[in-house]
Amino acid sequence: MQPIDVGDLLADSRAPSKQQSLYQAIQSKILQGDWPNQARLPATRTMASELGLSRNTVTAVYDQLKAEGYIDSKPGAGYFVLLHPEHFLHTHNASSKAPLHASDGEPMETTLRRNRPFSPGVPDLAHFPYKKWARLVQIHMQRSILAGQNDIQGSFALREALSEYLLTSRSVDAPPHRIIVTTGAQQALYMALNAILNRGDRVLMENPGYSQMRKALEQSGTVARYFSLAPQFGDDLSLLNGFDGQAIYLTPSNQYPMGHSIDTQARMAIIEWAKASGGWIIEDDYDSEFQFANRPYPSLQGLAAKLHGEAAKLIYVGTFGKAFLSGIRVGYMVVPESLVDSCLQLKDAISGCSPIHIEEVLADFIKHGDYLRHIKKMRHLYQQKHAQFVSSLARVYGGGIEVMSQAAGLHVTFRWQGGPEAIDVKEALADKGFTIRTLDYYCDEKALPTMPRWVNRALVAGIGNSSCDDIEEGLSALNAIFSGE
């Protein structure tokens, strides 16, 4: 519970004494619910100083309120509100204040639901090096030079570390001056769209595809057009030849949510489309760090840079949200030099500089090898989880479930024929403590009627924040649902 600030507490000058005036002001705050139960009152010295009263006056008022049951004191801790006015008075706060803690209700419950087993897009939250992270955060939080306004482009130390890491791990051509640090990948995507497109311009993206990108397209006033490179939807790259729009958006390393990689031939065709049409490519390098069966393809950006150099019209987007922690909210984009200024103007307009203390911590993690060690550890752990999930899933529904996604990333996408629809399975699993998504969540609602009927019997399960026990328990629950138990 936050301590109470003296704030707008006003003593009534019409009261017969200063003591009575202060008593009435505090009593009113408590009875109205403005000062909630268990909140710590200002120290007597602080209260006296702020209101221009003697400390003896404040102490006398506190003693009176304590005697009447409004407040209580704890040795060495101060005075605390004791009364629950909402139990017997109608207060304006009783029904309007949002609960803050897990015991208080829905907001914390919503957070827990988002991170429950099988929640897609959530990394393993139990195996993060919290102690080392906390030490570095403490160090950088004490650097006064970081406490003021900072570079809109983001920490140079992080951009420098990213430049080397992306080149060696993903073959990305990313000098520091062309990297822009963002508040997650979502901001990077929004900035990319607004930097290169006008309202009404058309963007080609896969369907099913990343639902957050559709939101960014809508907010930017651009129009989505759809195709799919997933084998289950025909893998039809020919649609690209007839596309007369201005940009294409892809997650080529591990398409979300269908879970396939775009091969070299398709990558070459996409790059040549951009060259011939003058269009842009937005590459969202989702889940590139976690390939289990094969070596990952080099980035589309690196290939385009080799083929066309500075003329390549490609924006590369990445994030630490999946490989590291979602909560740190740090992403980045690599843009051609001609786009740097316009992207920085957009970032300045929508958010200003991002939290540089966290960026400096990330820079240290990357430079000292901690980030790469964490990636290697998590790759091994996620591979184990993926293998266990697929193996256990083979025993569900009499072996009648097909895994559609490749052995990569933090999710498994699967479908079945006959039996319950995905939405019913999702709701039944939710009642058992598992949060899973239906495949149609990732589809444009307007396009659903034209899509195969099996889309209604397909699910996307996250394995990142699911322990091995969670996987066994969840798939046992899934089998029971299919069996009608």
Side-chain angles (χ1 to χ4, degrees), residues 216-247:
L217 288 169
E218 183 178 348
Q219 291 297 319
S220 302
T222 49
V223 180
R225 294 287 183 263
Y226 298 115
F227 78 129
S228 178
L229 295 177
Q232 297 82 4
F233 290 97
D235 188 9
D236 191 4
L237 192 61
S238 64
L239 292 174
L240 186 62
N241 298 326
F243 176 59
D244 60 353
Q246 289 71 37

Side-chain angles (χ1 to χ4, degrees), residues 111-180:
T111 299
L112 292 173
R113 281 178 175 271
R114 288 176 178 269
N115 297 305
R116 291 195 307 186
F118 292 0
S119 297
V122 183
D124 191 307
L125 304 180
H127 290 85
F128 183 78
Y130 289 104
K131 289 184 178 179
K132 180 148 196 169
W133 178 263
R135 285 198 301 270
L136 288 173
V137 168
Q138 185 177 25
I139 290 171
H140 288 291
M141 284 297 290
Q142 296 178 61
R143 295 174 61 195
S144 60
I145 194 172
L146 304 180
Q149 295 290 324
N150 290 288
D151 191 345
I152 291 291
Q153 194 162 352
S155 158
F156 180 78
L158 177 57
R159 289 187 281 124
E160 192 174 44
L162 269 173
S163 176
E164 182 177 343
Y165 173 77
L166 291 174
L167 179 62
T168 57
S169 67
R170 302 293 301 126
S171 300
V172 176
D173 178 23
H177 72 278
R178 293 202 287 112
I179 298 174
I180 300 171

Side-chain angles (χ1 to χ4, degrees), residues 181-192 329 333 346-347 350-352 354:
V181 183
T182 61
T183 307
Q186 186 70 11
Q187 186 185 62
L189 293 173
Y190 183 80
M191 288 166 54
R329 303 299 303 150
M333 57 196 302
L346 281 164
K347 186 184 176 187
I350 61 179
S351 70
S354 40

